Amino acid sequence: MKPLRLTALMVIASSLMACTPSSMDQPQISEPDPELNFVRPYRGAGDTCQLVGENAFTVDFLDDAADLVACSTGTDDSASLAASEGARVVTQTNSYTLYSVARR
């Protein structure tokens, strides 16, 4: 019985080690990346977050009182957009997090 217990403990330990803090911070999304209509950098020339225009994928997330902004998931620009602009996550794909940023 002892070898079986040791094996079970090793399996549990290896499973826990696979759950690194970075993998638990972001949800794992399996939705493929859509073709996004990038309009321009959102906050300025160096911003990797982009204002997104309408297409078949984004139409349900557009709002006349808010900007739809796409940022590469997990980047500093993505985190700062959420913190500084009060951006609300509306969806996420494999590579992008789309935010709604209120204009009013």
Side-chain angles (χ1 to χ4, degrees), residues 7 36 61 101:
T7 303
L36 295 175
F61 306 114
V101 183

Side-chain angles (χ1 to χ4, degrees), residues 10-26 28:
M10 290 174 62
V11 168
I12 292 170
S14 66
S15 296
L16 291 174
M17 289 175 64
C19 295
T20 62
S22 61
S23 69
M24 292 188 315
D25 290 343
Q26 296 294 329
Q28 299 300 310

Side-chain angles (χ1 to χ4, degrees), residues 8 11-12 14 21 23 32 36-37 41-42 48 50 52-53 66-67 75-78 80-81 94 96-97 103:
V11 168
I12 292 170
S14 66
S23 69
L36 295 175
N37 180 17
Y42 187 64
T48 59
Q50 299 276 319
V52 178
D67 292 325
T75 61
D76 290 341
D77 282 343
S78 181
S80 70
L81 181 75
N94 284 330
Y96 298 102
T97 302
R103 282 187 243 132

Side-chain angles (χ1 to χ4, degrees), residues 26-27 29 33 36 38 49-50 52 57 68-75 78-79 81-82 87-100:
Q26 296 294 329
I29 306 298
D33 291 328
L36 295 175
F38 294 113
C49 295
Q50 299 276 319
V52 178
F57 178 78
L68 185 61
V69 180
C71 301
S72 294
T73 300
T75 61
S78 181
L81 181 75
R88 178 179 57 85
V89 173
V90 293
T91 193
Q92 193 169 26
T93 68
N94 284 330
S95 302
Y96 298 102
T97 302
L98 276 73
Y99 296 91
S100 179

